[in-house]
Amino acid sequence: MMRIWLKMVTVGLLTVSFSSLAKVEVNLKDDVNVLVINGEEVGFRLKKLSTLQLDNGFNQIVVRVAKLVTRYGEYEKFNSDPVVISFNAADQKLDVGVEDSINTVEQAEAFNQNSAFIIQSAKGIDYKQDKLPLLGGISRDYAKELNAYNRKNDITVAGAAQTALNNNTVQSNTQSAPVRVNSTAVEMVRYWYNEAGKNEQKAFEDWAFSNRVEVKQPLISDSKPLEMLAYWYAKADKADKSSILSWLLNK
């Protein structure tokens, strides 16, 4: 298991007084998605959670890179291996990101070999990061995997985190706001996607992202799920296509 202890280097002085910060503010850079905050799974959101407000002291988040990357001029979805980051902080702002650009499949695969995130702060801070071990099963349960990781490493996370997005503060121990499904097209795409096999899902994802603005080329297949996915995606308006692609990107 990758196990990294890093010591942060001071990157500059903040222009605000730390005494005015009651909590730890964590800013997630573009393409960095948070999956779990102090044991509480975030769940699906139409807009990525970009700012977290955490209590002072020990905190733990699970993050991954989620973005579109190119292969031979075509776009495909990349979700990196999830990484758990544990740190102690008080009254400061942190930025979580990656050091190198990830724009191609080759760069994405290279990142997954190391999966190292960086935290920048005006204060020095010790943090530890590991790839989150997979427990097995058809789908991943990040909260359960994190719980197993903490038991193995004798880590205790006390209390739930408080998160904020666009100045709207919610408690992380409540469920995420439900996805607003505002059209039959979105509902049917989600239904037929779940009916499709893994290869069919991959084929639809590649096709949908290649036709993310408008459908310029048909998806020809003898598969009933793929036929229906293509039909309902073509019926979706611009906003619904964006909702579908966001849903796919976060799966």
Side-chain angles (χ1 to χ4, degrees), residues 18-24 54-56 91:
F18 285 111
S19 61
S20 65
L21 300 175
K23 295 184 180 294
V24 177
L54 310 177
D55 290 334
N56 288 338
D91 299 330

Side-chain angles (χ1 to χ4, degrees), residues 46 212 233 236-247:
L46 290 177
R212 58 191 178 280
Y233 183 81
D237 60 21
K238 183 177 179 180
D240 288 336
K241 281 185 173 65
S242 177
S243 174
I244 291 167
L245 293 175
S246 178
W247 178 71

Side-chain angles (χ1 to χ4, degrees), residues 6 46 72 91 106 115 121 176 188 203 208 210 223 241 243:
L6 298 173
L46 290 177
Y72 305 123
D91 299 330
E106 292 76 16
S115 298
S121 173
S176 300
M188 295 308 296
S210 296
S223 162
K241 281 185 173 65
S243 174

Side-chain angles (χ1 to χ4, degrees), residues 9 11 33 59 63 77 120-121 123 141 144 150 154 162-163 169 212 246:
V9 178
V11 297
N33 282 14
N59 286 285
V63 295
K77 181 178 67 174
Q120 294 180 317
S121 173
K123 284 185 175 181
D141 187 327
K144 184 180 293 185
N150 286 338
D154 296 322
Q162 187 180 55
T163 64
T169 301
R212 58 191 178 280
S246 178

Side-chain angles (χ1 to χ4, degrees), residues 18 57 84 93 101 144-145 154 159 213 240:
F18 285 111
V84 52
K93 291 185 178 181
S101 298
K144 184 180 293 185
E145 290 170 355
D154 296 322
V213 178
D240 288 336

Side-chain angles (χ1 to χ4, degrees), residues 78-145:
F78 169 63
N79 285 327
S80 74
D81 295 332
V83 171
V84 52
I85 303 176
S86 306
F87 59 93
N88 272 293
D91 299 330
Q92 61 192 105
K93 291 185 178 181
L94 310 174
D95 292 325
V96 179
V98 296
E99 186 171 5
D100 298 320
S101 298
I102 304 174
N103 296 311
T104 67
V105 168
E106 292 76 16
Q107 291 171 335
E109 291 173 347
F111 177 80
N112 257 348
Q113 294 298 314
N114 187 29
S115 298
F117 289 82
I118 58 173
I119 300 179
Q120 294 180 317
S121 173
K123 284 185 175 181
I125 179 175
D126 288 318
Y127 67 96
K128 174 186 178 182
Q129 61 178 314
D130 287 315
K131 279 189 180 182
L132 186 64
L134 178 67
L135 289 180
I138 298 176
S139 60
R140 300 199 65 163
D141 187 327
Y142 300 115
K144 184 180 293 185
E145 290 170 355

Side-chain angles (χ1 to χ4, degrees), residues 9-247:
V9 178
T10 300
V11 297
L13 294 175
L14 293 178
T15 58
V16 297
S17 171
F18 285 111
S19 61
S20 65
L21 300 175
K23 295 184 180 294
V24 177
E25 181 178 302
V26 180
N27 296 309
L28 303 173
K29 296 295 187 179
D30 292 342
D31 306 321
V32 176
N33 282 14
V34 62
L35 303 172
V36 183
I37 307 169
N38 289 337
E40 298 290 339
E41 196 157 355
V42 172
F44 171 72
R45 290 176 176 268
L46 290 177
K47 293 183 179 180
K48 74 179 289 285
L49 194 60
S50 58
T51 302
L52 316 177
Q53 290 181 358
L54 310 177
D55 290 334
N56 288 338
F58 180 81
N59 286 285
Q60 195 176 57
I61 58 176
V62 176
V63 295
R64 72 179 178 192
V65 173
K67 66 176 300 182
L68 296 178
V69 295
T70 59
R71 184 199 296 268
Y72 305 123
E74 298 292 331
Y75 285 96
E76 61 181 71
K77 181 178 67 174
F78 169 63
N79 285 327
S80 74
D81 295 332
V83 171
V84 52
I85 303 176
S86 306
F87 59 93
N88 272 293
D91 299 330
Q92 61 192 105
K93 291 185 178 181
L94 310 174
D95 292 325
V96 179
V98 296
E99 186 171 5
D100 298 320
S101 298
I102 304 174
N103 296 311
T104 67
V105 168
E106 292 76 16
Q107 291 171 335
E109 291 173 347
F111 177 80
N112 257 348
Q113 294 298 314
N114 187 29
S115 298
F117 289 82
I118 58 173
I119 300 179
Q120 294 180 317
S121 173
K123 284 185 175 181
I125 179 175
D126 288 318
Y127 67 96
K128 174 186 178 182
Q129 61 178 314
D130 287 315
K131 279 189 180 182
L132 186 64
L134 178 67
L135 289 180
I138 298 176
S139 60
R140 300 199 65 163
D141 187 327
Y142 300 115
K144 184 180 293 185
E145 290 170 355
L146 181 61
N147 187 42
Y149 167 87
N150 286 338
R151 287 200 308 270
K152 182 178 180 180
N153 292 277
D154 296 322
I155 297 174
T156 301
V157 181
Q162 187 180 55
T163 64
L165 174 62
N166 295 333
N167 297 322
N168 294 322
T169 301
V170 298
Q171 294 294 326
S172 68
N173 59 350
T174 62
Q175 293 183 347
S176 300
V179 178
R180 185 172 63 88
V181 179
N182 54 9
S183 78
T184 301
V186 174
E187 291 180 342
M188 295 308 296
V189 165
R190 296 183 68 178
Y191 170 79
W192 283 107
Y193 183 90
N194 290 327
E195 290 293 305
K198 288 188 178 298
N199 291 336
E200 293 169 327
Q201 291 175 347
K202 178 65 165 56
F204 173 69
E205 290 171 4
D206 292 344
W207 176 80
F209 283 117
S210 296
N211 295 270
R212 58 191 178 280
V213 178
E214 60 179 323
V215 177
K216 295 182 178 180
Q217 57 191 60
L219 178 59
I220 301 174
S221 174
D222 294 331
S223 162
K224 181 66 172 179
L226 276 178
E227 177 185 348
M228 298 308 298
L229 281 166
Y231 172 80
W232 286 110
Y233 183 81
K235 295 277 288 183
D237 60 21
K238 183 177 179 180
D240 288 336
K241 281 185 173 65
S242 177
S243 174
I244 291 167
L245 293 175
S246 178
W247 178 71

